[in-house]
Amino acid sequence: MINIKKADKAEIQELLTIYLEKVKWLRDNNKTMWDESQFTLESLKENYGNPEYFIGRINGKIVGGFILIEYDQRYWPEKKDDAFYFHKFIVKNEYCGKGYSDEMIRWVIKYSKNNKKKYVRLDYDGDRKYIKDLYTKNGFKPVETLSNEKGFKLIKAEYVIK
């Protein structure tokens, strides 16, 4: 079982390193999605305001993480209700395929409910079947399809907390 918590400063730095490793792996495997410039504290603050960083650990090792924000000016500017916006979700390659992604998503939903949120919202690359399937099987429903600034199909999806 994965242990998820808010990241401290050292853990945030380790999470940034994990992002950079994934950027390189994605590029090397012709699956470019992110670029290095996104993964500095300054860039993340500029794009997401004051994100809260979370990490997941297995046997003391950070295996992945994500950020949560309470308002997403970039992709959900019309929504100003009780929601968490889930961004920059990552699991290190050597831990993929072990169910940790599902555990982390379920944790985010429970955390959101415990914090009196009504929704968890996110966006993802609509051309990545694995990502689409991951979010769909965890209860996220697409609400809009658009093109992002790079011309990629972007799916906005939400989970309604009951």
Side-chain angles (χ1 to χ4, degrees), residues 15-40 44 88-93 128 150:
L15 183 59
L16 292 175
T17 298
I18 292 168
Y19 285 127
L20 294 173
E21 289 169 357
K22 185 69 94 169
V23 168
K24 182 181 181 327
W25 182 86
L26 288 166
R27 189 174 42 244
D28 290 349
N29 287 279
N30 294 318
K31 298 178 180 183
T32 304
M33 180 171 68
W34 293 327
D35 66 70
E36 289 90 346
S37 67
Q38 293 176 277
F39 297 105
T40 65
L44 290 165
K88 301 298 185 222
F89 182 39
I90 190 166
V91 175
K92 289 178 83 169
N93 288 346
R128 295 189 185 267
K150 295 180 181 178

Side-chain angles (χ1 to χ4, degrees), residues 25-161:
W25 182 86
L26 288 166
R27 189 174 42 244
D28 290 349
N29 287 279
N30 294 318
K31 298 178 180 183
T32 304
M33 180 171 68
W34 293 327
D35 66 70
E36 289 90 346
S37 67
Q38 293 176 277
F39 297 105
T40 65
L41 290 176
E42 297 78 20
S43 178
L44 290 165
K45 184 173 176 60
E46 181 180 320
N47 284 316
Y48 299 108
N50 288 311
E52 290 188 317
Y53 297 84
F54 294 81
I55 50 115
R57 287 186 182 275
I58 294 290
N59 298 324
K61 294 186 181 189
I62 296 176
V63 301
F66 53 88
I67 63 174
L68 290 178
I69 58 177
E70 291 193 78
Y71 177 62
D72 188 338
Q73 174 67 39
R74 187 174 187 186
Y75 291 120
W76 298 82
E78 74 284 3
K79 300 289 186 180
K80 294 185 167 108
D81 49 10
D82 293 326
F84 273 132
Y85 296 84
F86 182 60
H87 287 286
K88 301 298 185 222
F89 182 39
I90 190 166
V91 175
K92 289 178 83 169
N93 288 346
E94 59 264 36
Y95 295 96
C96 289
K98 299 177 191 243
Y100 299 136
S101 293
D102 294 322
E103 280 188 64
M104 292 172 88
I105 291 169
R106 284 191 301 269
W107 185 93
V108 168
I109 291 167
K110 183 177 179 182
Y111 179 82
S112 299
K113 183 176 184 175
N114 289 343
N115 281 277
K116 310 278 189 262
K117 301 299 180 188
K118 295 178 182 170
Y119 306 93
V120 178
R121 295 193 176 109
L122 50 80
D123 56 83
Y124 61 88
D125 181 340
D127 293 325
R128 295 189 185 267
K129 184 177 178 345
Y130 170 78
I131 300 294
K132 177 184 175 221
D133 292 347
L134 174 68
Y135 291 132
T136 301
K137 78 177 178 179
N138 279 288
F140 285 85
K141 306 282 186 228
V143 296
E144 185 178 0
T145 301
L146 49 104
S147 292
N148 71 7
E149 62 274 1
K150 295 180 181 178
F152 296 113
K153 181 168 73 172
L154 186 77
I155 308 294
K156 292 171 37 174
E158 69 183 9
Y159 181 97
V160 179
I161 297 171

